Amino acid sequence: RMNQSNRMLLPDGTSLPRIGQGTWNMGDDASRREEEIAALRLGVELGMDLIDTAEMYGDGRSELLVGEAIQGLRDQVYLVSKVYPHHAGNEQLIRSCGESLKRLNTDHLDLYLLHWRGDIPLEETVVGMEKLVSQGKIARWGVSNFDVDDMKELLGIAGGTHCATNQILYHLGSRGIETELLPWQRSHKIPVMAYSPLAQAGSLRKGVIESEVVQEIASAHQATPLQIMLAWTMREEDVISIPKASSRKHVIENAAAGLITLSNEEIWKLDEAFPIPSWKVPLDMI
Ligand code: NDP
């Protein structure tokens, strides 16, 4: 089970695990439903008690599944969902949040994120988010897929500094945020929530897990290369990563990755094999 050293404090004092659980594509396959629910519940038991979902995922099917998985555990879970950009204004934002709450079978979210930036003015979204906070439907709000300029704009508008996090793509094979966005967020005490920390299952992941350096470090820790990818996201205290795992085996491996501490030398070797770009690159997204 992950322990206290695997947790971080938000500026408001909330304690969060540095490895949580993603749920994209969960609930899509009826034959896997029981296994996915059991995986999420086991994850909470093992200390990965932040669960991330979105109204977009499976058109609400992911939220329905999460709603079922957290029954009896609601108080132990830090629940995150996201609103579509085209739903993120005025009455529609309030309605979307209400529909997410219904599917999740709860009366509040711990965090509600704008999934990515769309055409609705940020001012309108922030007003709506603050209204949801005052109604007690969400404890906090944040954004996702915002690059530095978007973040600067957000913090410049009334209420914008209440933004709790920016959920962005980040893994060993995609380190662009380290040029500007991550340091900027750090200086404003806005933690990064790293999505796709295992680089999903495509060729980018292959490049990381087949690297000699990653394999060497993995065998030194008797771990898998994917566990090293997760342990790497934990080398800094203000990054929360949210791998998605839908089997017990993967959940157990991901929680165990939280117990791996990479040495400085290992981190240097990984820096050499997977360098930070030398200049600002556009934010990677999926
Ligand atoms: P991940 O990088 O988390 O990779 C998920 C894949 O890795 C799945 O195929 C999963 O398989 C597999 N996996 C998980 N653990 C292990 C393990 N220990 N060993 C081997 N394979 C493993 O990709 P995601 O894109 O799902 O990102 C994570 C979460 O981030 C999403 O689920 C979602 O909640 C969020 N997200 C947010 C976005 C945004 O725009 N804000 C965009 C993308 C993701 P299996 O399911 O079989 O366990």
Side-chain angles (χ1 to χ4, degrees):
R1 192 182 194 284
M2 296 206 303
N3 52 44
Q4 276 312 315
S5 69
N6 307 123
R7 299 189 78 84
M8 62 172 284
L9 289 182
L10 288 183
D12 70 0
T14 310
S15 157
L16 293 182
R18 284 156 64 198
I19 302 182
Q21 305 189 77
T23 64
W24 193 9
N25 296 320
M26 280 196 190
D28 287 349
D29 178 351
S31 71
R32 298 211 58 213
R33 190 175 189 82
E34 290 313 313
E35 192 185 1
E36 289 171 344
I37 289 175
L40 283 173
R41 291 180 71 90
L42 176 64
V44 173
E45 211 177 290
L46 296 178
M48 298 188 292
D49 47 39
L50 180 153
I51 299 182
D52 176 79
T53 182
E55 64 171 343
M56 182 187 101
Y57 299 162
D59 267 335
R61 284 191 297 275
S62 164
E63 288 183 329
L64 279 170
L65 181 131
V66 171
E68 213 176 310
I70 62 174
Q71 282 321 292
L73 300 178
R74 177 66 190 94
D75 294 347
Q76 294 171 50
V77 171
Y78 191 86
L79 189 57
V80 185
S81 193
K82 314 184 201 78
V83 61
Y84 269 125
H86 59 277
H87 287 171
N90 293 332
E91 286 314 304
Q92 180 59 54
L93 175 59
I94 309 292
R95 200 157 44 235
S96 276
C97 180
E99 284 163 9
S100 286
L101 291 176
K102 216 180 292 164
R103 284 189 290 267
L104 287 161
N105 199 6
T106 184
D107 61 358
H108 74 284
L109 293 172
D110 296 290
L111 182 63
Y112 198 33
L113 306 178
L114 170 60
H115 208 148
W116 63 91
R117 193 160 178 190
D119 296 332
I120 293 177
L122 282 179
E123 286 83 354
E124 195 179 318
T125 300
V126 172
V127 167
M129 289 289 193
E130 292 287 324
K131 191 166 167 189
L132 288 168
V133 172
S134 67
Q135 293 175 344
K137 289 181 184 162
I138 66 174
R140 310 207 60 189
W141 62 268
V143 295
S144 176
N145 296 304
F146 269 41
D147 208 338
V148 185
D149 288 346
D150 300 311
M151 288 305 289
K152 286 182 179 162
E153 201 180 320
L154 177 63
L155 263 60
I157 67 179
T161 53
H162 293 165
C163 173
T165 189
N166 181 20
Q167 184 181 109
I168 43 187
L169 185 147
Y170 184 47
H171 57 74
L172 192 48
S174 176
R175 302 186 62 177
I177 66 164
E178 289 179 66
T179 58
E180 232 181 281
L181 184 55
L182 178 61
W184 185 91
Q185 288 196 205
R186 196 159 275 159
S187 69
H188 289 80
K189 297 202 164 38
I190 300 177
V192 164
M193 199 175 283
Y195 75 68
S196 306
L198 302 172
Q200 293 196 317
S203 56
L204 253 184
R205 172 190 284 183
K206 216 162 159 253
V208 175
I209 63 181
E210 286 179 358
S211 121
E212 214 171 291
V213 178
V214 173
Q215 297 212 352
E216 245 172 50
I217 295 174
S219 58
H221 288 275
Q222 295 175 311
T224 70
L226 287 178
Q227 287 181 305
I228 298 305
M229 283 182 85
L230 280 186
W232 178 84
T233 64
M234 293 185 61
R235 75 200 187 290
E236 306 281 7
E237 280 177 8
D238 53 357
V239 175
I240 303 157
S241 70
I242 47 168
K244 174 250 183 186
S246 55
S247 68
R248 290 176 64 87
K249 178 175 182 284
H250 288 168
V251 165
I252 290 167
E253 284 176 5
N254 294 351
L259 305 175
I260 299 170
T261 305
L262 299 176
S263 68
N264 286 337
E265 196 189 338
E266 288 168 336
I267 291 171
W268 291 328
K269 282 186 180 164
L270 290 169
D271 279 340
E272 219 166 45
F274 300 94
I276 304 170
S278 338
W279 54 83
K280 163 94 179 81
V281 290
L283 181 62
D284 249 356
M285 290 181 205
I286 287 180

